[in-house]
Amino acid sequence: MASTRGTKEMAFRQRRTQAPKPISCSSSFSYEDISRDVSDSENDDDVSCLVCGSGDYPADLLLCDKCDKGFHLFCLRPILASVPKGSWFCPTCTNNKKLKSFPLVQTKIVDFFRIQRSQESTQKAIQDIRKKRKRSGLVMAKKKRKLLAFTPSPDPTRRLEQMASLATALTATGTEFSNELTYRPGMAPRSANQPALERGGMQILSKEDSETLNLCKTMMERGEWPPLMVAFDPQEGFTVAADRYIKDLTIITEYVGDVDYLKNREDDDGDSMMTLLSAANPSKSLVICPDKRSNIARFINGINNHTLEGKKKQNLKCVRFNVNGECRVLLIANRDISKGERLYYDYNGDEHEYPTEHFV
């Protein structure tokens, strides 16, 4: 069982809580240094982090279940946001296994994402939506800016590479692909997803924007995917970057996963939970848990909203909508995004619960 020196503080037993400020670590540190002989102490008080050498912040010192050496959660690369459930092994004891890429074979990718084997194009549907918006007139356009459907990469081979990059990340994390909210036995039922329960009300997605969202879903079912590439970064873990230019207000993806009551997840160590419904009655609040079923959303990173540089990185916004009587969460471009630019959004809402000061 993964353990920390001393007792686990409540900071890691709550969803998106405040974390301590990280200790500055030497940028020249290599995990190969861990292989050097380090005397193990029988006294818990002598345990220190092999990266920064400090024994401060004992609740954040994670001990390897094989070698018993200590590491601060925020000194690991990529950083761990919370103490993992079950056994945990340090980078040396896991032998730093190389990430295995998903095979770039069309049939395997089609089966992995359950893509419809159809040659029918969605180009006509895109043109129909654009015609409707032109007919709506300039006056309506000024009142409310409309959401845009993503534009897939024109090269089918490139789209396969994009999908393979996501399949690699999902396979590496043991996650099943899903592009919808899922309701599992023993968790919150679909009937609990009621926007009317939202504290202060929830904005309703317009009919036109709902059509755009449905178009995005339809395109993905046919293999016409958003122009996004997933890669593994030594510091940030999995990251997502734009693989072509993306316009402001483009729908990037919906945040999906298993839906559960927040009260059932208060002791959950998952660092990817997303608020779905913040109810006036806390017992009815819902969260999305993407650890078992999810899409590309779980690999999009958050900004460090404690620094100006961190805030400048933000190019997506996370918005909760009432979509046809159900709460849904969308990630939407909040400015034009250049090809090659990594995607980031602010993990925190008004509550500022999530610890982001240790983010890169």
Side-chain angles (χ1 to χ4, degrees):
M1 176 67 69
S3 59
T4 59
R5 175 186 154 211
T7 59
K8 298 180 186 177
E9 292 183 350
M10 287 301 292
F12 286 108
R13 300 190 65 80
Q14 296 175 354
R15 181 181 62 96
R16 298 183 175 180
T17 51
Q18 196 71 9
K21 292 183 179 179
I23 303 167
S24 59
C25 304
S26 170
S27 59
S28 61
F29 178 84
S30 167
Y31 282 118
E32 294 176 0
D33 298 338
I34 301 170
S35 59
R36 294 178 302 180
D37 290 336
V38 178
S39 59
D40 294 328
S41 172
E42 295 180 359
N43 186 343
D44 224 20
D45 292 335
D46 293 335
V47 176
S48 60
C49 174
L50 262 73
V51 181
C52 67
S54 169
D56 293 342
Y57 306 116
D60 306 325
L61 268 173
L62 185 60
L63 303 182
C64 174
D65 283 301
K66 185 173 182 180
C67 68
D68 272 341
K69 294 169 185 175
F71 299 82
H72 282 119
L73 296 170
F74 46 76
C75 286
L76 289 164
R77 293 294 182 267
I79 290 168
L80 285 183
S82 60
V83 176
K85 287 182 178 178
S87 299
W88 178 83
F89 302 100
C90 70
T92 294
C93 291
T94 54
N95 298 318
N96 293 322
K97 292 180 180 178
K98 188 177 180 181
L99 189 67
K100 187 176 180 181
S101 297
F102 194 85
L104 191 62
V105 179
Q106 183 174 3
T107 53
K108 288 184 178 291
I109 292 172
V110 165
D111 290 340
F112 187 93
F113 292 108
R114 300 184 293 278
I115 293 170
Q116 297 175 3
R117 288 175 167 82
S118 170
Q119 298 301 316
E120 183 181 351
S121 174
T122 53
Q123 198 60 39
K124 184 177 184 300
I126 295 173
Q127 291 172 351
D128 288 344
I129 285 180
R130 287 175 179 167
K131 285 178 182 178
K132 283 183 183 178
R133 292 188 174 176
K134 284 181 180 178
R135 286 197 295 267
S136 66
L138 293 175
V139 176
M140 287 300 294
K142 289 179 180 178
K143 284 185 179 179
K144 185 179 184 300
R145 299 173 71 193
K146 304 295 189 295
L147 299 182
L148 304 175
F150 58 78
T151 303
S153 298
D155 182 4
T157 302
R158 189 59 178 175
R159 293 204 299 270
L160 283 177
E161 292 173 0
Q162 294 161 358
M163 288 187 278
S165 73
L166 173 56
T168 298
L170 290 169
T171 303
T173 55
T175 309
E176 178 185 334
F177 173 73
S178 173
N179 212 26
E180 305 288 343
L181 294 175
T182 45
Y183 301 87
R184 313 296 293 185
M187 300 171 70
R190 187 164 194 161
S191 59
N193 186 349
Q194 299 182 40
L197 300 175
E198 173 74 15
R199 182 178 61 234
M202 180 179 289
Q203 60 180 311
I204 299 175
L205 194 67
S206 70
K207 181 181 178 182
E208 284 182 301
D209 287 344
S210 293
E211 289 174 350
T212 302
L213 176 60
N214 290 336
L215 173 60
C216 290
K217 296 273 189 177
T218 301
M219 284 195 291
M220 293 183 69
E221 288 172 359
R222 293 171 177 165
E224 298 174 1
W225 277 51
L228 306 172
M229 193 71 78
V230 186
F232 187 81
D233 180 271
Q235 284 195 311
E236 297 185 73
F238 284 107
T239 63
V240 179
D243 204 34
R244 68 178 302 183
Y245 170 76
I246 298 175
K247 290 183 180 179
D248 182 19
L249 288 179
T250 296
I251 296 175
I252 301 299
T253 185
E254 179 178 354
Y255 204 99
V256 301
D258 295 336
V259 178
D260 202 0
Y261 289 109
L262 173 59
K263 63 185 179 183
N264 293 343
R265 297 286 176 156
E266 288 179 344
D267 292 334
D268 197 306
D269 68 353
D271 62 350
S272 300
M273 283 191 297
M274 170 67 71
T275 299
L276 177 64
L277 171 63
S278 182
N281 180 349
S283 68
K284 296 182 182 297
S285 292
L286 301 176
V287 289
I288 303 170
C289 309
D291 52 322
K292 290 185 171 58
R293 279 159 286 276
S294 192
N295 60 10
I296 202 167
R298 72 163 294 183
F299 302 114
I300 299 176
N301 290 330
I303 62 167
N304 181 336
N305 55 16
H306 294 261
T307 67
L308 182 60
E309 286 304 310
K311 292 177 180 178
K312 285 180 180 178
K313 287 183 176 181
Q314 182 173 355
N315 47 24
L316 302 182
K317 58 183 177 181
C318 178
V319 189
R320 290 185 294 130
F321 286 105
N322 174 343
V323 183
N324 300 323
E326 283 192 337
C327 304
R328 306 271 285 274
V329 180
L330 304 183
L331 295 180
I332 301 165
N334 66 353
R335 60 173 172 80
D336 291 346
I337 303 172
S338 304
K339 179 180 178 180
E341 188 177 344
R342 289 186 180 178
L343 305 186
Y344 294 94
Y345 67 102
D346 192 345
Y347 280 2
N348 288 290
D350 297 333
E351 72 281 0
H352 292 288
E353 290 178 332
Y354 198 85
T356 66
E357 57 266 49
H358 59 285
F359 285 8
V360 177

